[in-house]
Amino acid sequence: MYTEKVMDHFSNPRNVGEIPDANGIGEVGNAKCGDIMRIYLKVKDNVIEDVKFKTFGCGAAIATSSMVTEMVIGKTLEDALEISNQAVAEALGGLPPAKMHCSNLAADALHEAIKDYMSKQPKEA
Ligand code: FES
């Protein structure tokens, strides 16, 4: 039912935890199941230098969060904003249809964290 990549990221999630001095934090809840995901970003010079996540959710949610962290490290904010839920699911080799909604958390939380970072930047005059 799950691809090897999903199982790998679920059993061995990358970048789990918090960044104490994160400058962007995004949290989203999944309306379908009540699960929650939080993503912490450390952004410098418009590039994501570090990212960590905490997910209170199912295995598919953990695997997609782990995958999304690997996809965004070293990316510019603009490139990271382009990552869609679909792209995350595809990077994992697909998810079972009943679990596609779980992948929504990952990219949404990432986008929220980027918006949070941007909203904290001084406005250019
Ligand atoms: Fe809630 Fe998967 S069942 S995120």
Side-chain angles (χ1 to χ4, degrees):
M1 170 160 164
Y2 288 111
T3 65
E4 241 170 69
K5 268 205 173 152
V6 174
M7 291 312 289
D8 176 33
H9 277 267
F10 167 62
S11 325
N12 224 336
R14 330 291 201 260
N15 305 308
V16 176
E18 289 177 36
I19 300 178
D21 58 343
N23 47 16
I25 299 177
E27 181 179 297
V28 290
N30 193 322
K32 286 209 175 183
C33 60
D35 291 345
I36 295 173
M37 177 185 306
R38 200 175 294 150
I39 285 196
Y40 300 83
L41 294 178
K42 183 85 193 157
V43 182
K44 202 176 165 214
D45 298 334
N46 204 47
V47 170
I48 298 177
E49 284 202 322
D50 199 10
V51 50
K52 294 221 185 304
F53 79 90
K54 275 198 163 170
T55 293
F56 307 91
C58 70
I62 291 170
T64 46
S65 337
S66 168
M67 187 74 226
V68 89
T69 61
E70 284 211 319
M71 290 168 81
V72 299
I73 285 189
K75 281 213 159 68
T76 62
L77 295 178
E78 289 73 22
D79 286 349
L81 272 174
E82 305 247 305
I83 295 176
S84 64
N85 299 318
Q86 188 67 31
V88 179
E90 274 168 19
L92 285 167
L95 282 169
K99 285 286 176 186
M100 276 310 285
H101 75 271
C102 310
S103 71
N104 293 349
L105 284 181
D108 287 356
L110 169 71
H111 296 168
E112 285 303 314
I114 294 173
K115 278 189 223 150
D116 179 50
Y117 169 78
M118 287 174 161
S119 73
K120 288 176 178 157
Q121 300 316 299
K123 301 263 176 291
E124 280 170 38

